[in-house]
Amino acid sequence: METKKIQIVICTGTLCHVLGGAELPSLEQHLPNHLKNQVDIKGSPCINHCKNTDMRPPFVEINGEVIEQASITRIREHLEKLTANDSK
Ligand code: FES
């Protein structure tokens, strides 16, 4: 059976871009092949988390879960965890 891809939404809004998110759109190039095959990466204009002052940009959503202060390293670590748990 086809495994469901992990949905990644990268915020490309101005605030996230300025506050560290500029590298995020190149995420796919930085993922090892075993992760690359399992993700579906989309960019999206402001996904509204920057309106929540308790959370720090830049933001990325992974399967609907918000990652704050996202960086390629943090996203990658999160993906490694998700795929490690995926024993099905
Ligand atoms: S600019 Fe990224 S959540 Fe608003």
Side-chain angles (χ1 to χ4, degrees):
M1 268 230 298
E2 201 194 323
T3 45
K4 236 173 128 207
K5 295 213 173 183
I6 298 170
Q7 303 293 321
I8 303 183
V9 180
I10 294 170
C11 177
T12 57
T14 311
L15 194 74
C16 287
H17 183 92
V18 171
L19 294 174
E23 63 167 12
L24 298 178
S26 66
L27 170 68
E28 193 169 5
Q29 295 159 31
H30 296 275
L31 291 178
N33 281 336
H34 74 279
L35 289 177
K36 221 183 258 183
N37 298 335
Q38 299 190 64
V39 297
D40 196 2
I41 302 174
K42 287 199 193 81
S44 169
C46 182
I47 47 179
N48 287 321
H49 301 302
C50 60
K51 313 227 154 65
N52 181 344
T53 49
D54 293 339
M55 302 211 302
R56 314 263 296 271
F59 297 108
V60 163
E61 283 179 358
I62 301 181
N63 279 349
E65 185 184 338
V66 188
I67 310 293
E68 56 180 324
Q69 294 186 284
S71 65
I72 286 175
T73 310
R74 277 178 71 113
I75 295 169
R76 193 174 150 174
E77 280 168 7
H78 198 85
L79 291 175
E80 298 280 10
K81 250 186 267 161
L82 279 180
T83 51
N85 289 339
D86 196 5
S87 51
K88 280 159 252 157

